[in-house]
Amino acid sequence: MKNSYIFGNKVYYFLFVVCTIVITTLLLLPANLFSNTPKIVLWKHSDKVVHFLMFFCESWLLFRSIELRKGYKFSRISKIVVLSISIFGLFTEILQGITYNTAKRNFSLADLFFDILASVVAVLVINFLHKRIKKNIPF
């Protein structure tokens, strides 16, 4: 089944690293850079949706790069992904808290919650898709 993957693990790993750099950069940019964002995009909790989407993609790429490189079982990869993304989310939130004086960003437990939630949901979606592929059920 591994031969049927479109991309090899090196491509997924490269995309994972690029995604990590982009997410870290976006989360550490000064908050005032986003003040010109159209009001239709900014609603009360729009930043939570952005956190969720970024960390969902990050989790997916990490899962695929581990899955293709190692012979780990699904449950072990899932634990590695959720733990790694949780630590990365905590790290970025701590960095935002540290840079408050310069970037006007702050530590947010709600953001961290959505980072972790995105990781869990990504693993659940991957599990769902894997089960459908194994049973040859069309999407």
Side-chain angles (χ1 to χ4, degrees):
M1 181 158 167
K2 288 186 180 181
N3 293 334
S4 65
Y5 290 118
I6 295 170
F7 300 119
N9 66 321
K10 291 179 182 177
V11 173
Y12 281 108
Y13 184 72
F14 173 77
L15 292 173
F16 168 73
V17 170
V18 169
C19 189
T20 302
I21 293 168
V22 169
I23 288 173
T24 305
T25 303
L26 288 173
L27 292 176
L28 295 178
L29 286 173
N32 64 358
L33 287 179
F34 301 103
S35 60
N36 292 333
T37 306
K39 297 298 178 201
I40 195 164
V41 176
L42 294 177
W43 65 91
K44 188 173 183 178
H45 300 292
S46 61
D47 68 315
K48 306 306 179 245
V49 173
V50 171
H51 271 264
F52 184 89
L53 293 173
M54 288 190 309
F55 281 81
F56 182 92
C57 293
E58 179 83 351
S59 300
W60 189 284
L61 292 169
L62 178 59
F63 190 98
R64 293 305 304 265
S65 64
I66 294 172
E67 177 186 37
L68 295 174
R69 184 179 53 206
K70 302 285 184 183
Y72 294 139
K73 292 184 179 182
F74 185 88
S75 61
R76 183 163 184 195
I77 298 171
S78 300
K79 291 173 188 171
I80 291 169
V81 168
V82 171
L83 181 63
S84 299
I85 297 301
S86 299
I87 291 169
F88 176 62
L90 178 62
F91 176 71
T92 59
E93 289 302 320
I94 289 171
L95 283 176
Q96 285 182 335
I98 292 171
T99 62
Y100 178 77
N101 290 334
T102 56
K104 300 300 183 220
R105 297 293 192 123
N106 55 9
F107 182 93
S108 170
L109 280 177
D111 287 348
L112 180 58
F113 171 77
F114 278 91
D115 299 346
I116 295 169
L117 179 65
S119 175
V120 171
V121 169
V123 167
L124 291 174
V125 168
I126 291 168
N127 185 32
F128 172 77
L129 294 175
H130 275 262
K131 285 181 179 180
R132 291 187 72 90
I133 290 169
K134 273 186 173 179
K135 295 179 182 179
N136 290 323
I137 301 172
F139 296 102

PDB file of all heavy atoms in Angstrom, residues 62-64 66-68 70-82 123:
ATOM      1  N   LEU A  62       2.586  15.932   9.577  1.00  0.00           N
ATOM      2  CA  LEU A  62       3.452  15.179  10.485  1.00  0.00           C
ATOM      3  C   LEU A  62       3.060  13.702  10.476  1.00  0.00           C
ATOM      4  O   LEU A  62       3.928  12.822  10.415  1.00  0.00           O
ATOM      5  CB  LEU A  62       3.371  15.742  11.903  1.00  0.00           C
ATOM      6  CG  LEU A  62       4.194  15.009  12.964  1.00  0.00           C
ATOM      7  CD1 LEU A  62       5.670  15.002  12.587  1.00  0.00           C
ATOM      8  CD2 LEU A  62       3.984  15.651  14.333  1.00  0.00           C
ATOM      9  N   PHE A  63       1.767  13.430  10.533  1.00  0.00           N
ATOM     10  CA  PHE A  63       1.298  12.046  10.511  1.00  0.00           C
ATOM     11  C   PHE A  63       1.794  11.332   9.253  1.00  0.00           C
ATOM     12  O   PHE A  63       2.336  10.235   9.323  1.00  0.00           O
ATOM     13  CB  PHE A  63      -0.234  11.993  10.569  1.00  0.00           C
ATOM     14  CG  PHE A  63      -0.767  10.609  10.798  1.00  0.00           C
ATOM     15  CD1 PHE A  63      -1.130  10.207  12.061  1.00  0.00           C
ATOM     16  CD2 PHE A  63      -0.884   9.707   9.749  1.00  0.00           C
ATOM     17  CE1 PHE A  63      -1.613   8.926  12.297  1.00  0.00           C
ATOM     18  CE2 PHE A  63      -1.359   8.423   9.959  1.00  0.00           C
ATOM     19  CZ  PHE A  63      -1.727   8.032  11.241  1.00  0.00           C
ATOM     20  N   ARG A  64       1.590  11.966   8.111  1.00  0.00           N
ATOM     21  CA  ARG A  64       1.985  11.328   6.841  1.00  0.00           C
ATOM     22  C   ARG A  64       3.498  11.131   6.756  1.00  0.00           C
ATOM     23  O   ARG A  64       3.961  10.115   6.251  1.00  0.00           O
ATOM     24  CB  ARG A  64       1.496  12.155   5.654  1.00  0.00           C
ATOM     25  CG  ARG A  64      -0.004  12.196   5.487  1.00  0.00           C
ATOM     26  CD  ARG A  64      -0.631  10.796   5.402  1.00  0.00           C
ATOM     27  NE  ARG A  64      -0.088   9.982   4.354  1.00  0.00           N
ATOM     28  CZ  ARG A  64      -0.582   9.844   3.137  1.00  0.00           C
ATOM     29  NH1 ARG A  64      -1.667  10.487   2.801  1.00  0.00           N
ATOM     30  NH2 ARG A  64       0.001   9.057   2.258  1.00  0.00           N
ATOM     31  N   ILE A  66       5.592  10.627   9.212  1.00  0.00           N
ATOM     32  CA  ILE A  66       5.967   9.519  10.095  1.00  0.00           C
ATOM     33  C   ILE A  66       5.460   8.199   9.533  1.00  0.00           C
ATOM     34  O   ILE A  66       6.171   7.202   9.524  1.00  0.00           O
ATOM     35  CB  ILE A  66       5.414   9.736  11.518  1.00  0.00           C
ATOM     36  CG1 ILE A  66       6.070  10.946  12.167  1.00  0.00           C
ATOM     37  CG2 ILE A  66       5.647   8.490  12.378  1.00  0.00           C
ATOM     38  CD1 ILE A  66       5.446  11.348  13.485  1.00  0.00           C
ATOM     39  N   GLU A  67       4.238   8.209   9.063  1.00  0.00           N
ATOM     40  CA  GLU A  67       3.606   6.992   8.548  1.00  0.00           C
ATOM     41  C   GLU A  67       4.410   6.378   7.407  1.00  0.00           C
ATOM     42  O   GLU A  67       4.573   5.164   7.329  1.00  0.00           O
ATOM     43  CB  GLU A  67       2.197   7.327   8.070  1.00  0.00           C
ATOM     44  CG  GLU A  67       1.456   6.169   7.450  1.00  0.00           C
ATOM     45  CD  GLU A  67       0.127   6.593   6.874  1.00  0.00           C
ATOM     46  OE1 GLU A  67       0.032   7.710   6.325  1.00  0.00           O
ATOM     47  OE2 GLU A  67      -0.808   5.804   6.974  1.00  0.00           O
ATOM     48  N   LEU A  68       4.911   7.193   6.536  1.00  0.00           N
ATOM     49  CA  LEU A  68       5.636   6.695   5.371  1.00  0.00           C
ATOM     50  C   LEU A  68       7.091   6.347   5.679  1.00  0.00           C
ATOM     51  O   LEU A  68       7.706   5.566   4.977  1.00  0.00           O
ATOM     52  CB  LEU A  68       5.585   7.719   4.246  1.00  0.00           C
ATOM     53  CG  LEU A  68       4.195   7.978   3.678  1.00  0.00           C
ATOM     54  CD1 LEU A  68       4.248   9.111   2.668  1.00  0.00           C
ATOM     55  CD2 LEU A  68       3.642   6.732   3.039  1.00  0.00           C
ATOM     56  N   LYS A  70       8.415   5.405   8.921  1.00  0.00           N
ATOM     57  CA  LYS A  70       8.599   4.398   9.958  1.00  0.00           C
ATOM     58  C   LYS A  70       7.577   3.285   9.807  1.00  0.00           C
ATOM     59  O   LYS A  70       6.559   3.456   9.178  1.00  0.00           O
ATOM     60  CB  LYS A  70       8.444   5.032  11.346  1.00  0.00           C
ATOM     61  CG  LYS A  70       9.388   6.177  11.622  1.00  0.00           C
ATOM     62  CD  LYS A  70      10.771   5.683  11.897  1.00  0.00           C
ATOM     63  CE  LYS A  70      11.669   6.853  12.261  1.00  0.00           C
ATOM     64  NZ  LYS A  70      13.015   6.508  12.475  1.00  0.00           N
ATOM     65  N   GLY A  71       7.830   2.197  10.460  1.00  0.00           N
ATOM     66  CA  GLY A  71       6.900   1.083  10.464  1.00  0.00           C
ATOM     67  C   GLY A  71       6.018   1.086  11.705  1.00  0.00           C
ATOM     68  O   GLY A  71       5.623   0.026  12.171  1.00  0.00           O
ATOM     69  N   TYR A  72       5.723   2.269  12.253  1.00  0.00           N
ATOM     70  CA  TYR A  72       4.914   2.350  13.466  1.00  0.00           C
ATOM     71  C   TYR A  72       3.467   1.975  13.200  1.00  0.00           C
ATOM     72  O   TYR A  72       2.957   2.156  12.100  1.00  0.00           O
ATOM     73  CB  TYR A  72       4.925   3.765  14.040  1.00  0.00           C
ATOM     74  CG  TYR A  72       6.267   4.242  14.546  1.00  0.00           C
ATOM     75  CD1 TYR A  72       6.687   5.540  14.307  1.00  0.00           C
ATOM     76  CD2 TYR A  72       7.098   3.412  15.271  1.00  0.00           C
ATOM     77  CE1 TYR A  72       7.900   5.999  14.782  1.00  0.00           C
ATOM     78  CE2 TYR A  72       8.320   3.853  15.744  1.00  0.00           C
ATOM     79  CZ  TYR A  72       8.715   5.144  15.495  1.00  0.00           C
ATOM     80  OH  TYR A  72       9.901   5.591  15.956  1.00  0.00           O
ATOM     81  N   LYS A  73       2.811   1.496  14.238  1.00  0.00           N
ATOM     82  CA  LYS A  73       1.384   1.229  14.152  1.00  0.00           C
ATOM     83  C   LYS A  73       0.625   2.540  14.223  1.00  0.00           C
ATOM     84  O   LYS A  73       1.126   3.548  14.726  1.00  0.00           O
ATOM     85  CB  LYS A  73       0.946   0.317  15.302  1.00  0.00           C
ATOM     86  CG  LYS A  73       1.506  -1.081  15.189  1.00  0.00           C
ATOM     87  CD  LYS A  73       0.972  -1.955  16.286  1.00  0.00           C
ATOM     88  CE  LYS A  73       1.531  -3.353  16.126  1.00  0.00           C
ATOM     89  NZ  LYS A  73       1.001  -4.256  17.129  1.00  0.00           N
ATOM     90  N   PHE A  74      -0.604   2.500  13.733  1.00  0.00           N
ATOM     91  CA  PHE A  74      -1.434   3.697  13.673  1.00  0.00           C
ATOM     92  C   PHE A  74      -1.571   4.358  15.044  1.00  0.00           C
ATOM     93  O   PHE A  74      -1.453   5.577  15.176  1.00  0.00           O
ATOM     94  CB  PHE A  74      -2.819   3.339  13.122  1.00  0.00           C
ATOM     95  CG  PHE A  74      -3.695   4.533  12.929  1.00  0.00           C
ATOM     96  CD1 PHE A  74      -3.660   5.238  11.745  1.00  0.00           C
ATOM     97  CD2 PHE A  74      -4.535   4.964  13.940  1.00  0.00           C
ATOM     98  CE1 PHE A  74      -4.450   6.355  11.567  1.00  0.00           C
ATOM     99  CE2 PHE A  74      -5.332   6.072  13.772  1.00  0.00           C
ATOM    100  CZ  PHE A  74      -5.291   6.766  12.576  1.00  0.00           C
ATOM    101  N   SER A  75      -1.808   3.561  16.078  1.00  0.00           N
ATOM    102  CA  SER A  75      -2.019   4.130  17.415  1.00  0.00           C
ATOM    103  C   SER A  75      -0.774   4.846  17.930  1.00  0.00           C
ATOM    104  O   SER A  75      -0.867   5.900  18.560  1.00  0.00           O
ATOM    105  CB  SER A  75      -2.452   3.053  18.406  1.00  0.00           C
ATOM    106  OG  SER A  75      -1.451   2.057  18.520  1.00  0.00           O
ATOM    107  N   ARG A  76       0.386   4.306  17.618  1.00  0.00           N
ATOM    108  CA  ARG A  76       1.629   4.943  18.076  1.00  0.00           C
ATOM    109  C   ARG A  76       1.872   6.263  17.327  1.00  0.00           C
ATOM    110  O   ARG A  76       2.270   7.262  17.922  1.00  0.00           O
ATOM    111  CB  ARG A  76       2.808   4.008  17.886  1.00  0.00           C
ATOM    112  CG  ARG A  76       4.083   4.622  18.424  1.00  0.00           C
ATOM    113  CD  ARG A  76       5.153   3.618  18.627  1.00  0.00           C
ATOM    114  NE  ARG A  76       6.295   4.280  19.234  1.00  0.00           N
ATOM    115  CZ  ARG A  76       7.481   3.760  19.293  1.00  0.00           C
ATOM    116  NH1 ARG A  76       7.707   2.557  18.817  1.00  0.00           N
ATOM    117  NH2 ARG A  76       8.466   4.425  19.838  1.00  0.00           N
ATOM    118  N   ILE A  77       1.639   6.243  16.021  1.00  0.00           N
ATOM    119  CA  ILE A  77       1.796   7.478  15.247  1.00  0.00           C
ATOM    120  C   ILE A  77       0.827   8.534  15.757  1.00  0.00           C
ATOM    121  O   ILE A  77       1.188   9.703  15.906  1.00  0.00           O
ATOM    122  CB  ILE A  77       1.574   7.218  13.737  1.00  0.00           C
ATOM    123  CG1 ILE A  77       2.605   6.238  13.195  1.00  0.00           C
ATOM    124  CG2 ILE A  77       1.641   8.526  12.952  1.00  0.00           C
ATOM    125  CD1 ILE A  77       2.335   5.777  11.787  1.00  0.00           C
ATOM    126  N   SER A  78      -0.400   8.133  16.056  1.00  0.00           N
ATOM    127  CA  SER A  78      -1.411   9.070  16.562  1.00  0.00           C
ATOM    128  C   SER A  78      -0.952   9.730  17.847  1.00  0.00           C
ATOM    129  O   SER A  78      -1.083  10.947  18.017  1.00  0.00           O
ATOM    130  CB  SER A  78      -2.737   8.337  16.800  1.00  0.00           C
ATOM    131  OG  SER A  78      -3.209   7.770  15.610  1.00  0.00           O
ATOM    132  N   LYS A  79      -0.401   8.934  18.751  1.00  0.00           N
ATOM    133  CA  LYS A  79       0.091   9.484  20.028  1.00  0.00           C
ATOM    134  C   LYS A  79       1.255  10.444  19.800  1.00  0.00           C
ATOM    135  O   LYS A  79       1.322  11.500  20.423  1.00  0.00           O
ATOM    136  CB  LYS A  79       0.507   8.353  20.961  1.00  0.00           C
ATOM    137  CG  LYS A  79      -0.657   7.533  21.469  1.00  0.00           C
ATOM    138  CD  LYS A  79      -0.179   6.321  22.240  1.00  0.00           C
ATOM    139  CE  LYS A  79      -1.349   5.411  22.563  1.00  0.00           C
ATOM    140  NZ  LYS A  79      -0.916   4.129  23.129  1.00  0.00           N
ATOM    141  N   ILE A  80       2.168  10.062  18.910  1.00  0.00           N
ATOM    142  CA  ILE A  80       3.318  10.919  18.613  1.00  0.00           C
ATOM    143  C   ILE A  80       2.844  12.253  18.039  1.00  0.00           C
ATOM    144  O   ILE A  80       3.322  13.319  18.443  1.00  0.00           O
ATOM    145  CB  ILE A  80       4.285  10.217  17.628  1.00  0.00           C
ATOM    146  CG1 ILE A  80       4.974   9.044  18.300  1.00  0.00           C
ATOM    147  CG2 ILE A  80       5.311  11.197  17.074  1.00  0.00           C
ATOM    148  CD1 ILE A  80       5.742   8.141  17.351  1.00  0.00           C
ATOM    149  N   VAL A  81       1.900  12.201  17.109  1.00  0.00           N
ATOM    150  CA  VAL A  81       1.404  13.418  16.468  1.00  0.00           C
ATOM    151  C   VAL A  81       0.712  14.323  17.477  1.00  0.00           C
ATOM    152  O   VAL A  81       1.017  15.520  17.564  1.00  0.00           O
ATOM    153  CB  VAL A  81       0.463  13.075  15.283  1.00  0.00           C
ATOM    154  CG1 VAL A  81      -0.273  14.308  14.797  1.00  0.00           C
ATOM    155  CG2 VAL A  81       1.254  12.444  14.153  1.00  0.00           C
ATOM    156  N   VAL A  82      -0.212  13.780  18.245  1.00  0.00           N
ATOM    157  CA  VAL A  82      -0.957  14.609  19.205  1.00  0.00           C
ATOM    158  C   VAL A  82      -0.007  15.194  20.248  1.00  0.00           C
ATOM    159  O   VAL A  82      -0.092  16.387  20.570  1.00  0.00           O
ATOM    160  CB  VAL A  82      -2.104  13.807  19.858  1.00  0.00           C
ATOM    161  CG1 VAL A  82      -2.732  14.599  21.000  1.00  0.00           C
ATOM    162  CG2 VAL A  82      -3.159  13.439  18.819  1.00  0.00           C
ATOM    163  N   VAL A 123      -6.113  13.349  13.408  1.00  0.00           N
ATOM    164  CA  VAL A 123      -5.856  11.919  13.599  1.00  0.00           C
ATOM    165  C   VAL A 123      -7.150  11.120  13.410  1.00  0.00           C
ATOM    166  O   VAL A 123      -7.148  10.056  12.789  1.00  0.00           O
ATOM    167  CB  VAL A 123      -5.231  11.663  14.991  1.00  0.00           C
ATOM    168  CG1 VAL A 123      -5.243  10.194  15.346  1.00  0.00           C
ATOM    169  CG2 VAL A 123      -3.801  12.209  15.028  1.00  0.00           C
TER     170      VAL A 123
END
